[in-house]
Amino acid sequence: MDYRYGSHTVYQIEYHFVWVTKYRYKVLQGEVALRVRELVRQTCEAFEIRIVKGVVSSDHVHILVSAPPELAPSEIMRRLKGRTASKLFEEYSHLKKRFWGRHLWARGYFCATVGQMTEEMIKQYLEHHFEPSRDDNFRAEPPSRDAS
């Protein structure tokens, strides 16, 4: 597994994000698409978010990222959408005309977590961690015999 390390954490948290342009306008083409890719890369790098894979399509962006545990998915999206929109409006005047309300991106986004461990693997690990009690789904480890 590809674990990442913080000063007091070991983690492997991956999110799949998809966000679309307002009204699904197909404006992410050519130079604008390349600039979106560059801005997403810069923003991710600034917040220690690793891009695993990504695609800029004409009306939406897909990325698979590995993020530190202190960053909520909503915070990641706020930073990505906010920074890319403001920079693109600054640099491409034709976008200001197309998106007159200064909203490049549609309001929502898609987010799914991705993991290497399945729910079944975790349950199995917890089940065999110590002697199970059939009627309890959340247990405390029994005291060891030599701890008196």
Side-chain angles (χ1 to χ4, degrees), residues 1-16:
M1 296 207 188
D2 188 23
Y3 291 120
R4 292 180 63 189
Y5 298 86
S7 57
H8 299 285
T9 56
V10 177
Y11 61 93
Q12 198 243 342
I13 302 170
E14 291 182 346
Y15 300 111
H16 174 209

Side-chain angles (χ1 to χ4, degrees), residues 11-25:
Y11 61 93
Q12 198 243 342
I13 302 170
E14 291 182 346
Y15 300 111
H16 174 209
F17 289 111
V18 181
W19 68 99
V20 301
T21 58
K22 193 152 180 106
Y23 311 118
R24 297 296 296 248
Y25 286 155

Side-chain angles (χ1 to χ4, degrees), residues 46-62:
F47 295 98
E48 296 180 26
I49 299 166
R50 223 182 259 158
I51 298 173
V52 178
K53 228 20 164 188
V55 175
V56 177
S57 295
S58 61
D59 65 353
H60 65 281
V61 179
H62 275 271

Side-chain angles (χ1 to χ4, degrees), residues 5-116:
Y5 298 86
S7 57
H8 299 285
T9 56
V10 177
Y11 61 93
Q12 198 243 342
I13 302 170
E14 291 182 346
Y15 300 111
H16 174 209
F17 289 111
V18 181
W19 68 99
V20 301
T21 58
K22 193 152 180 106
Y23 311 118
R24 297 296 296 248
Y25 286 155
K26 297 182 183 314
V27 296
L28 307 178
Q29 298 175 6
E31 194 179 312
V32 175
L34 294 175
R35 185 64 175 136
V36 167
R37 184 180 68 175
E38 186 181 334
L39 291 168
V40 168
R41 281 182 173 156
Q42 288 173 1
T43 306
C44 286
E45 192 177 308
F47 295 98
E48 296 180 26
I49 299 166
R50 223 182 259 158
I51 298 173
V52 178
K53 228 20 164 188
V55 175
V56 177
S57 295
S58 61
D59 65 353
H60 65 281
V61 179
H62 275 271
I63 56 170
L64 174 62
V65 297
S66 170
E70 63 270 10
L71 281 178
S74 58
E75 181 68 11
I76 294 169
M77 284 311 305
R78 185 183 71 76
R79 291 173 188 270
L80 287 172
K81 289 169 74 174
R83 184 159 191 272
T84 54
S86 69
K87 289 284 190 187
L88 290 172
F89 282 135
E90 219 175 85
E91 298 170 18
Y92 300 98
S93 59
H94 72 279
L95 293 177
K96 283 185 198 171
K97 291 178 185 121
R98 185 78 189 236
F99 299 96
W100 50 269
R102 292 197 49 91
H103 294 286
L104 174 68
W105 304 112
R107 218 179 210 173
Y109 59 90
F110 168 81
C111 178
T113 55
V114 180
Q116 302 300 315

